């Protein structure tokens, strides 16, 4: 039997349909050093994964309905150009969003993970946005808004990390590890955004 | 009499030599919303500025000598292509680094600030790196390393925010405000990096 997340529309982690990134595991090791991401951080991310499992629906609802929906500049990326809701798009991308939280915490940071970071970024650029779900929406998400919204996710994830009775020190270490992973992911996402054809007007 | 920082070589904040950014204050307001940066954050950054004043030399020494110097991949950007130290370059850029900490906390986020973010980014790209100090070093700092090192700065600034006896709540709020400002600055820095001519190989 397949895991639940293998049923998520468009969730192709580890599949042969996902293009190989030019970023190697060696590049990622250098990036870890630049971000100060250690084996201890990897351990605390796994703990964070256990803590966040079962909370991801609530977290994504918080981010999407509680925050993004109230920021027209961000909400438009899940809507048609005329501003109409696209429930199918939102449902599928919310499930992928949930799974991404757990992938951040629980997946080994190997070539599959690197490749999927590229796929995630591409799906926010003109190259692939809307294609996975076959919808009509904004043609890309400006990278500046992705970077900025990471600040919101970093701030708002903390209460969920605190929800299972871990010690203050454990919560802090889980949070630090999460924040470092976010910066590494942003650093990987910048690659697809930097392609000459799409970058200048998509920053 | 001029303020001490006006004597820093190459520190041209607010000067007419600094190019105007295409990013407007209105764009910045949108970015603040995307990053969840509020007036309260601005207030706590000003408090952080008071707390960090007098500590910036120690902080930059920590970052440069304690961390960057031990990461060859990062340290090379202050050295000649042959790996020799360039003390004059390091001294001047360290002073600017110190001043940047205080500018982050104490300057109003107005057009001058936006314009100087563009200047800071340009000085890390092929367009302007080394030119301010007239040195021979790496031709650019890959943006992925800038993004990654922000994680290190965010983590290591916290003890300095705690050094003046503020309450745990104040320290936490100063730290959150700092982290949000970092993401907004990264979002502004991506602009100059996204210029088609330099981006593809500088991500």
């Amino acid at each position: 039997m397949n895991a639940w997340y293998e049923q998520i529309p468009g969730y192709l982690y580890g599949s042969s349909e996902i293009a190989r990134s030019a970023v190697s595991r060696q590049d990622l090791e250098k990036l870890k050093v630049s971000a100060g991401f250690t084996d201890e951080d990897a351990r605390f991310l796994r703990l964070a994964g256990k803590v966040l499992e079962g909370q991801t629906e609530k977290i994504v609802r918080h981010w999407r309905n509680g925050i993004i929906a109230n920021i027209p500049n961000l909400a438009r990326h899940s809507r048609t150009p005329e501003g109409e809701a696209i429930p199918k798009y939102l449902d599928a991308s919310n499930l992928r969003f949930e799974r991404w939280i757990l992938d951040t915490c629980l997946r080994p940071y190997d070539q599959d993970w690197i490749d999927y970071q590229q796929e995630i970024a591409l799906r926010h650029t003109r190259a692939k946005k809307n294609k996975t779900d076959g919808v009509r929406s904004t043609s890309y998400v400006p990278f500046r808004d992705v970077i900025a919204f990471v600040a919101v996710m970093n701030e708002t994830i903390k209460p969920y990390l605190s929800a299972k009775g871990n010690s203050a020190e454990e919560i802090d270490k889980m949070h630090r590890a999460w924040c470092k992973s976010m910066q590494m992911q942003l650093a990987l996402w910048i690659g697809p955004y930097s392609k000459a054809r799409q970058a200048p007007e998509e920053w």
Side-chain angles (χ1 to χ4, degrees), chain A:
Chain A
M1 210 179 104
N2 293 334
W4 66 272
Y5 51 82
E6 290 174 13
Q7 313 300 324
I8 299 173
Y11 180 72
L12 299 172
Y13 196 106
S15 128
S16 59
E17 292 176 52
I18 297 302
R20 176 60 60 104
S21 168
V23 178
S24 67
R25 291 190 62 167
Q26 198 179 15
D27 294 329
L28 181 62
E29 289 307 312
K30 283 187 191 165
L31 194 59
K32 283 184 187 172
V33 173
S34 298
F37 187 90
T38 64
D39 292 344
E40 191 191 27
D41 289 309
R43 274 203 309 283
F44 277 95
L45 271 184
R46 284 195 292 277
L47 180 58
K50 283 180 205 154
V51 169
L52 296 176
E53 240 165 355
Q55 300 192 82
T56 56
E57 193 181 342
K58 204 159 53 166
I59 296 168
V60 168
R61 200 185 310 128
H62 179 173
W63 289 342
R64 286 273 201 205
N65 303 6
I67 300 175
I68 293 174
N70 302 312
I71 305 177
N73 198 38
L74 300 181
R76 66 196 172 99
H77 300 303
S78 303
R79 298 177 163 270
T80 68
E82 295 77 29
E84 287 151 6
I86 315 171
K88 181 190 83 165
Y89 184 32
L90 210 52
D91 287 351
S93 68
N94 279 354
L95 286 172
R96 294 194 297 265
F97 209 171
E98 283 190 47
R99 184 60 220 173
W100 166 81
I101 294 171
L102 298 179
D103 284 343
T104 292
C105 298
L106 299 173
R107 295 277 192 183
Y109 286 7
D110 56 13
Q111 193 65 47
D112 278 346
W113 185 80
I114 294 168
D115 296 345
Y116 210 62
Q117 297 307 319
Q118 173 174 270
E119 178 68 13
I120 289 170
L122 283 171
R123 290 180 183 190
H124 288 76
T125 71
R126 199 182 293 272
K128 289 198 93 167
K129 186 169 183 290
N130 309 328
K131 297 210 167 84
T132 303
D133 303 279
V135 294
R136 205 169 53 85
S137 179
T138 57
S139 52
Y140 65 92
V141 182
F143 196 58
R144 63 177 179 278
D145 285 327
V146 177
I147 294 182
F149 195 70
V150 162
V152 173
M153 295 195 289
N154 285 348
E155 182 169 41
T156 53
I157 197 79
K158 207 158 184 188
Y160 298 99
L161 292 171
S162 315
K164 300 272 177 81
N166 294 83
S167 71
E169 193 192 336
E170 281 175 333
I171 293 164
D172 190 51
K173 287 186 170 175
M174 287 190 281
H175 189 247
R176 286 172 187 222
W178 169 275
C179 291
K180 289 181 198 173
S181 175
M182 289 301 108
Q183 293 309 106
M184 294 201 301
Q185 293 188 49
L186 281 174
L188 293 171
W189 297 343
I190 190 72
Y193 266 99
S194 292
K195 296 269 189 287
R197 283 225 315 280
Q198 58 212 39
E201 76 280 27
E202 293 183 28
W203 76 275

